[in-house]
Amino acid sequence: MSETAPPLHPASIEEQLLAALGTLLPPPPGASAATQALLQGYLGAVRVHPAQVTALQAELLRELAILWSSAAANPSPADPADPWSVPFFALARDQHRILQAWTERLIALLDLPPAPRRAARFALRRWVEAADPANRLATNPMALAAALGSGGTSLARGLANLRADLEEGRIAMSAPGAFEPGRALAITPGAVVHENAIAQMIRYAPLTPKVGARPLLMVPPFINKYYVLDLRPANSFVRFALEQGLQVFMVSWRNATPALAGASWEDYLRLGVLEALDVTNALCATRAANVLGYCVGGTLAACAATVDAAAGRRRWHSLTLLATLLDFSDPGEVSVYVDEDYVAACERDAERGCLVPGARLAAAFASLRARELVWHFVQHRYLLGETPRPFDLLHWNNDATNLPGRLYAWYLRACYLENRLREPGRERLLGQPVDFGSLRLPAYVLAARDDHIVPWRSAYAGARLLGRPPRFVLGESGHVAGVVNPPAPGRRGWWGNGGALPADPAAWLDAALHRDGSWWHDWAAWIAPLAGRRVPAPVSPGSPAHPVIEPAPGRYVRESARAAADAHQSQPKE
C-alpha cells in the first residue's frame, strides 16, 4: 500500500523556496563590499548630516503611519479584477512602494564617491527588489488565488519546477527543451573548418551567387555562446550579413574544461583570434580580412589587432566593435562586483587551477537585473507554477559557459581594476605593446544607449582611442537587444553623426541624427565597399589544408557548462 504524500503547506513551501534560492542565487561577488559601502555611507551621513538623517527617518515613519492608519480606518473596497486591491495585499504593496522611494532619498543623502555610491545603490536595490511582496507566497494574491483555484496543483508544479532548476543549477528562463543549437537556433548552414583546444571556426554557406572577395570574421564574447549572433533566421545577424553578399566566418568558443583552467588571455588571442584569422584569409586567398567583435570578443579582437600592428603584420582590413569596452574607466554596473579582494581571490583560485563555473557568472549577471531575470521567474515559475514561454534570447542567456580561471583573473585585474589597456604600451601581449592608437584601419563602433554592461559613454571613450576616427553609432535599447535588432517594421532606432568624435559624448549626441529602424542597414552600407570586388560564391567551405570537420554549429557550442566542467580534455596546443 503506497503512502499518501503529505499535504502542501504554505510555510513549508516558503521554507523550501528560500532554501533553494540560496543555492540558485548565491550572493554575487562584491555583495559584501556593496553592503559595507552602504553602511559606511550611512554612518558618514549620520556623522556629517545628523539632522537630515533624523528627518529622513521621521519622514519614513510618518508615511508608514499614515498608510497603516488609513488602511485600518478606511480600507478601500476590493476590485474583483485586481487581486492586489484586497486591503491586506494593497497594504503590502503600498508599504513596499514607500520603502522603495525612501531608499532613493537615502542614497541622495550619502556623501560617497561615484564607485562606492554605485555599490551602495546596488546593495539597496537588491534588498528592495527581494523584499517585493510578490516574491512571497503569503503576500502574492495571484499565487494564492492560483493555488486555491487549482486545488494546490499550481504549487505542486512550482515545486517541481524548483527541483528541476536545482538539478540544472540555474533558473530556467525559457521553456525547457524548446531550443537547442542546431535545432531552431544557430541553424544557418555552414561547416566547421578549423578547431583547436579553445575554439572551433565555422564557415557559413553563401546565400548570394556572388560574394565579396574579402571575408568577415566574427569574434563573439566567450561569456555565453556565439549564437547570440545567429539565433532564429528572422533575427540572425549572421544570416543578414550573408544576405548582403559577405563571406562570413565565426569563432565558436569552447566551454572551458578543467584541462583549460590555465588558459590565458594570450592563449585566446593566439588560438581564438589570430589563428582563426589566418585560416580565414587562407581559405579566401586574401591577405587581410574584415573582423567584427562583440562585447569582450571586441576587446579581444582589438587587442589582437594591436599585436599585429606592432609586429608589422597586415592581416586586418577593418574592425567592427559592437558594445565593446576598450577604456574601462567606467565599466558600468559590473564594477560593483570587482574590487581588490575579489580579484585577489580569483587569482588564488587561478593558481590552484580552478575553472570559473558558468552558473556563477550567469547568476552574477542576472543579479544586475534581478527584477526581470530573477524575481519575475520566482513569481511565475515557482509561485504560480507556470512554464516560461519559448524565448530565444533568454535561452541563450541561460546557456552559460565556464571560463578558465587564469583568463578570468587577468581580465578582471588588467581591464576592470587597473584599466591597463587604455594607456599605450602599459600592457604587452604576445610580446607586443598594446596601443589602440596604432589601429589606423576603418572602424565601425556600435554602442547601446541603455546598456548596463558596456555604458555607451564608455564605448564612446574607447572609440576615441583608435588611431583613425571610426564611424560611431548609438543604438536604442540595451546590451543584447541593442545589437540583435533585425530590420523589421517598428524596430528600435539609432543615432548617427558621421563627423568627428568630440571629447564630450553629450556634444556628439546633441549633433547626431536619430533614425528609425535597425542600425544593421547602416553597417551593411559601411562594410560593402570594404568587402572588395564581387567574385563567384565558393562551392566548397573547406580546402585540402583546411578540410570540413563537421557541419555547423559544431560540437563545442552544444556542450553544456556542467558537462564541460566534468570533462578532461587536452591543454591548448602550442
Side-chain angles (χ1 to χ4, degrees), residues 88-146:
F88 171 76
F89 301 116
L91 176 63
R93 179 192 58 192
D94 293 342
Q95 179 174 278
H96 183 258
R97 287 175 177 169
I98 288 174
L99 290 171
Q100 184 173 9
W102 181 81
T103 61
E104 289 299 318
R105 297 196 294 274
L106 174 62
I107 286 292
L109 188 61
L110 304 186
D111 187 15
L112 290 171
R117 175 178 292 276
R118 175 180 279 166
R121 176 176 280 112
F122 173 69
L124 269 179
R125 193 182 75 203
R126 286 185 69 232
W127 174 75
V128 167
E129 291 177 345
D132 190 325
N135 299 334
R136 303 294 295 268
L137 178 61
T139 49
N140 186 321
M142 293 180 290
L144 290 172

Side-chain angles (χ1 to χ4, degrees), residues 158-527:
L159 286 176
N161 290 341
L162 181 62
R163 294 184 185 114
D165 287 354
L166 282 171
E167 290 178 4
E168 290 294 321
R170 56 177 172 77
I171 298 174
M173 300 179 185
S174 178
F179 299 112
E180 65 178 83
R183 184 176 64 82
L185 300 177
I187 60 172
T188 302
V192 175
V193 293
H194 175 72
E195 72 175 46
N196 55 41
I198 280 177
Q200 291 186 319
M201 189 177 72
I202 298 167
R203 184 180 193 177
Y204 290 98
L207 293 179
T208 55
K210 290 194 173 184
V211 296
R214 189 172 293 114
L216 171 68
L217 172 64
M218 296 187 181
V219 184
F222 47 65
I223 299 171
N224 291 92
K225 297 181 179 177
Y226 84 81
Y227 62 86
V228 66
L229 296 174
D230 186 28
L231 291 165
R232 295 172 292 107
N235 60 356
S236 168
F237 186 75
V238 167
R239 185 174 185 86
F240 173 82
L242 291 167
E243 289 170 345
Q244 311 313 304
L246 299 176
Q247 297 193 67
V248 180
F249 293 74
M250 175 71 74
V251 173
S252 174
W253 301 108
R254 187 172 209 166
N255 216 325
T257 66
L260 292 176
S264 67
W265 183 268
E266 290 183 310
D267 290 324
Y268 273 59
L269 283 179
R270 183 167 50 87
L271 297 172
V273 181
L274 296 175
E275 196 170 285
L277 186 58
D278 275 343
V279 176
T280 297
N281 281 323
L283 284 169
C284 296
T286 50
R287 294 182 179 178
N290 299 307
V291 180
L292 176 150
Y294 177 18
C295 187
V296 67
T299 310
L300 196 69
C303 286
T306 68
V307 167
D308 268 4
R313 292 186 290 265
R314 302 184 180 278
R315 292 183 283 188
W316 305 67
H317 190 69
S318 76
L319 181 63
T320 296
L321 299 176
L322 308 180
T324 293
L325 284 173
L326 302 181
D327 183 342
F328 287 74
S329 300
D330 178 8
E333 293 187 4
V334 176
S335 65
V336 302
Y337 297 150
V338 184
D339 59 16
E340 178 61 40
D341 290 343
Y342 176 64
V343 174
C346 291
E347 289 169 338
R348 290 192 295 272
D349 288 343
E351 289 173 1
R352 296 198 302 270
C354 295
L355 284 177
V356 182
R360 185 198 304 171
L361 291 168
F365 279 105
S367 71
L368 295 175
R369 286 292 181 268
R371 189 185 302 279
E372 298 87 359
L373 297 178
V374 175
W375 299 115
H376 169 84
F377 296 99
V378 168
Q379 295 163 22
H380 289 269
R381 184 158 168 76
Y382 304 150
L383 298 183
L384 289 167
E386 298 174 350
T387 298
R389 66 185 180 89
F391 192 168
D392 52 2
L393 276 176
L394 286 181
H395 175 88
W396 167 82
N397 189 68
N398 247 181
D399 197 1
T401 52
N402 308 318
L403 294 184
R406 184 180 174 193
L407 165 80
Y408 183 64
W410 184 93
Y411 177 51
L412 292 183
R413 180 169 294 283
C415 297
Y416 282 92
L417 204 59
E418 299 180 359
N419 197 18
R420 299 204 300 254
L421 301 181
R422 182 186 184 278
E423 301 175 33
R426 184 180 176 189
E427 186 68 33
R428 296 183 72 87
L429 294 169
L430 298 178
Q432 302 296 339
V434 174
D435 179 6
F436 295 127
S438 68
L439 301 182
R440 298 180 177 86
L441 66 169
Y444 187 104
V445 178
L446 171 83
R449 182 187 58 184
D450 302 322
D451 194 335
H452 64 290
I453 295 174
V454 178
W456 82 264
R457 290 173 177 82
S458 299
Y460 181 93
R464 296 186 74 248
L465 297 177
L466 300 176
R468 174 175 171 175
R471 175 158 179 74
F472 183 81
V473 167
L474 178 63
E476 293 178 348
S477 197
H479 188 68
V480 176
V483 172
V484 184
N485 184 29
R491 298 300 297 185
R492 294 170 288 273
W494 54 281
W495 289 265
N497 188 324
L501 301 182
D504 184 3
W508 176 89
L509 185 57
D510 287 342
L513 296 176
H514 181 269
R515 295 168 173 82
D516 294 330
S518 173
W519 61 270
W520 289 14
H521 282 307
D522 181 72
W523 174 82
W526 174 84
I527 203 169

Side-chain angles (χ1 to χ4, degrees), residues 45-68:
V46 169
R47 184 175 60 254
V48 178
H49 310 293
Q52 291 175 267
V53 173
T54 300
L56 188 64
Q57 292 171 333
E59 184 180 350
L60 172 63
L61 294 176
R62 183 170 57 253
E63 290 181 2
L64 290 175
I66 292 171
L67 173 66
W68 294 335

